[in-house]
Amino acid sequence: MPPRRRLSPADRRAQLLAVGAQLFAAHPYDDVLMEEVAEQAGVSRALLYRHFTSKHALFAAVYQQAADQLLAETRLDPAAPLVEQLIQGMDVHLDYFVANRNAVLAANRVLAGDPVIQTIMTNELDALRARLLAVLPLTDESTREAVSGVLKSWLVFVQVLCVDWLTRETCTRTQLRDVCVGAVLGALRPLLAEDPAPDRPRQESGAAAHGGPPHNT
């Protein structure tokens, strides 16, 4: 065990969160032991449990800290091109997902349905939706409600797709990001009077997309 250092309660909590984050990233949730957290932090188990009453409590605190950091690093500005902001936000989240694969899978698979963890994820998605609504060209309340519903569904789609991708990488990371960005642009365009990405080509469908003749009806 490393020599124990005297820290303020806030600094000790931060240290324990850092150790917990490292272990939850490196190992599946069930393999992380509180005894190992205490040992790596150089503290007694009793001190660890004074800060976090259980492994679940420690994981929830680690995941809340990660959600707060992801929100802080996701930049949305009405003056900037939407596509660039979507790409930046996706890259921030994918960086975290890749570096913390075990923690993300624990939150979405092992602890799926856990009310504490689900609340953390829901709150982050709601905050992202509110930020996106603030930078989109919305002309009236009915459009806002429609776009809000689309964004809510899209964020869940992104979450599910990314978790599946972490389990089995069926495409490249860039392809995954572009699928997610393209999906929301395609869903928003019919609702907005102003194209949210005029420089990005629209995806055509049907025979016209392949140069074939239109069907007669």
Side-chain angles (χ1 to χ4, degrees), residues 12 22 31 57 91 93 137-138 151 169 172 179 182-183 188-189 197:
R12 180 64 70 190
Q22 292 172 357
D31 293 348
D91 280 339
H93 282 74
L138 305 176
L151 291 175
E169 295 184 20
T172 68
V179 164
L188 290 176
R189 275 174 164 148

Side-chain angles (χ1 to χ4, degrees), residues 59 63 102-114 117-118 121:
F59 182 84
Y63 215 70
N102 284 307
V104 175
L105 292 178
N108 288 273
R109 296 282 171 85
V110 180
L111 298 174
D114 179 271
I117 303 304
Q118 291 304 310
M121 291 192 288

Side-chain angles (χ1 to χ4, degrees), residues 9-216:
D11 287 342
R12 180 64 70 190
R13 177 182 171 83
Q15 180 214 17
L16 294 173
L17 282 173
V19 172
Q22 292 172 357
L23 290 174
F24 286 125
H27 307 286
Y29 179 82
D30 289 340
D31 293 348
V32 176
L33 303 176
M34 290 292 272
E35 290 82 356
E36 185 177 3
V37 177
E39 180 179 357
Q40 293 217 9
V43 303
S44 67
R45 284 184 292 176
L47 178 57
L48 171 60
Y49 279 104
R50 281 206 291 272
H51 285 273
F52 302 101
T53 57
S54 65
K55 180 170 75 170
H56 175 274
L58 175 60
F59 182 84
V62 166
Y63 215 70
Q64 180 65 70
Q65 184 180 66
D68 293 342
Q69 187 64 36
L70 288 171
L71 284 173
E73 293 178 4
T74 301
R75 299 184 297 273
L76 291 171
D77 180 357
L82 178 63
V83 171
E84 292 181 9
Q85 297 179 83
L86 290 170
I87 290 173
Q88 187 271 337
M90 284 297 308
D91 280 339
V92 165
H93 282 74
L94 287 172
D95 284 345
Y96 175 78
F97 293 163
V98 171
N100 297 272
R101 175 181 176 276
N102 284 307
V104 175
L105 292 178
N108 288 273
R109 296 282 171 85
V110 180
L111 298 174
D114 179 271
V116 175
I117 303 304
Q118 291 304 310
T119 296
I120 293 171
M121 291 192 288
T122 298
N123 288 344
E124 190 207 354
L125 295 183
D126 285 346
L128 287 170
R129 177 166 47 129
R131 292 187 184 186
L132 284 166
L133 285 170
V135 302
L136 288 170
L138 305 176
T139 55
D140 53 60
E141 187 58 31
S142 63
T143 300
R144 179 182 178 85
E145 290 182 6
V147 169
S148 179
V150 166
L151 291 175
K152 182 176 183 178
S153 297
W154 174 71
L155 288 165
V156 173
F157 161 78
V158 170
Q159 180 183 19
V160 172
L161 188 61
C162 288
V163 171
D164 286 347
W165 181 77
L166 288 174
T167 304
R168 183 167 177 262
E169 295 184 20
T170 54
C171 62
T172 68
R173 171 182 160 147
T174 299
Q175 288 171 330
L176 174 67
R177 184 195 68 192
D178 289 349
V179 164
C180 293
V181 172
V184 72
L185 293 177
L188 290 176
R189 275 174 164 148
L191 298 173
L192 301 177
E194 178 183 337
D195 192 332
D199 296 331
R200 193 180 181 97
R202 293 172 179 265
Q203 296 296 319
E204 298 183 46
S205 60
H210 299 86
H215 294 287
N216 293 324

